[in-house]
Amino acid sequence: LTLQHLFSPTVINNTRVGVTRTVAGNNLDCCVNVPALADLSLGYIPGQPLGAFNVGGLPNGKFGGIGSDGMNIFAYTAPQFYNDLSWNRGSHSIRAGFAFERVQDNMEQQNRLNGLWSFGSIKDLLTVNPNQFSFDVPGTDGRRGQRQSIIAGYIQDDFRLRSNLTINMGVRYEMTTVLNEANGKIANLRNLTDPKVSLGSPYFMNPTFKNFAPRVGFAWDPFKDGKTSIRGGVGLFDIMPLPYVFVSLLPRSTPYYVQ
């Protein structure tokens, strides 16, 4: 939804609001009509259907029964607000703006509910010689609700220094709040030498407070005939530590998650 307002012929304001909503998952069992794959008597773990087995040397590698890929479900919602102001005054064309986005990223990341037998080769599989068995301990919790806010602002001036030369100068500031979990299920090592994990916030020290990103550029018409334009510019850009970075880290950490 966009609202544009003209304060005057030289001052224009644009306000935008919106929301992004995405739901995804890779735990989908489709088109399976083999009763044995859901037979609880064939499960590795009591009360669970047939698990998975991983065989080294095969192109697909991993096979299994119903639900053997775990509970990888993701629901991402992000309401957003933007405001941009344009102001033309003499030789200056000034733009300034503000942005806010709230990230609500919910996920279910249990991994091996039905268990996984690993075999190093086809021979090991045929001779029933596994090298590892792994599973999510019953009662483990892989459900997390990541929460974070993104805040940004900018100002830029396109200054027509001469009739054939325009200088672009600007700066952008963009930061995020420290990632939080909706129910406080955060556990990490504050220092690599810690003998045990620390529970609760903060998940990390915020590295984004100093994210000032200057930009400068130019546009030059060397022959003053409007047929040739030489442009250049340089800027500093930041990548935010957003929830996707922690998609396998936050939900799979002891003591909430045990495999």
Side-chain angles (χ1 to χ4, degrees):
L1 182 66
T2 301
L3 173 65
Q4 184 180 82
H5 183 72
L6 279 67
F7 289 98
S8 73
T10 60
V11 181
I12 302 175
N13 189 81
N14 280 284
T15 301
R16 292 174 291 144
V17 294
V19 62
T20 294
R21 171 70 175 173
T22 305
V23 178
N26 67 345
N27 65 329
L28 306 179
D29 294 301
C30 173
C31 316
V32 177
N33 191 24
V34 182
L37 296 181
D39 188 345
L40 300 184
S41 68
L42 298 177
Y44 309 153
I45 300 172
Q48 298 285 72
L50 181 67
F53 60 96
N54 193 4
V55 183
L58 293 183
N60 292 326
K62 184 179 177 182
F63 309 87
I66 300 297
S68 60
D69 279 336
M71 293 291 292
N72 298 318
I73 304 172
F74 310 92
Y76 183 96
T77 306
Q80 304 149 37
F81 171 83
Y82 305 92
N83 191 81
D84 300 281
L85 180 72
S86 299
W87 180 30
N88 294 319
R89 181 177 175 84
S91 300
H92 297 270
S93 178
I94 300 172
R95 293 174 177 83
F98 171 81
F100 176 83
E101 182 172 343
R102 178 64 176 174
V103 175
Q104 302 178 69
D105 186 23
N106 298 318
M107 55 188 169
E108 173 66 89
Q109 276 279 64
Q110 296 187 59
N111 189 26
R112 295 172 182 169
L113 293 170
N114 303 343
L116 171 68
W117 284 109
S118 297
F119 299 87
S121 64
I122 298 176
K123 177 182 177 181
D124 288 335
L125 171 68
L126 297 177
T127 57
V128 195
N129 182 33
N131 57 25
Q132 183 181 12
F133 179 70
S134 59
F135 65 101
D136 290 358
V137 173
T140 194
D141 183 2
R143 182 173 296 180
R144 298 290 183 273
Q146 299 184 106
R147 301 291 185 266
Q148 194 171 35
S149 296
I150 306 170
I151 303 169
Y154 74 93
I155 185 170
Q156 177 171 313
D157 183 11
D158 297 334
F159 175 40
R160 185 176 290 274
L161 188 62
R162 296 181 179 177
S163 60
N164 65 330
L165 177 63
T166 298
I167 303 296
N168 318 112
M169 299 173 293
V171 63
R172 180 179 179 87
Y173 179 76
E174 187 169 20
M175 58 85 65
T176 67
T177 58
V178 174
L179 189 74
N180 200 6
E181 204 283 319
N183 298 299
K185 296 175 184 177
I186 288 179
N188 64 353
L189 295 175
R190 304 288 167 82
N191 304 285
L192 291 178
T193 56
D194 289 350
K196 61 180 181 180
V197 298
S198 298
L199 303 183
S201 299
Y203 193 36
F204 53 82
M205 302 305 294
N206 198 334
T208 69
F209 285 138
K210 299 180 180 180
N211 281 359
F212 288 95
R215 293 96 190 270
V216 62
F218 70 92
W220 179 39
D221 177 3
F223 306 113
K224 298 183 180 182
D225 57 6
K227 297 181 179 180
T228 304
S229 180
I230 299 175
R231 300 174 181 270
V234 64
L236 186 65
F237 301 87
D238 298 294
I239 298 177
M240 301 291 105
L242 299 177
Y244 75 91
V245 177
F246 311 100
V247 68
S248 295
L249 301 176
L250 182 63
R252 294 178 180 170
S253 57
T254 185
Y256 305 108
Y257 183 90
V258 181
Q259 185 178 99

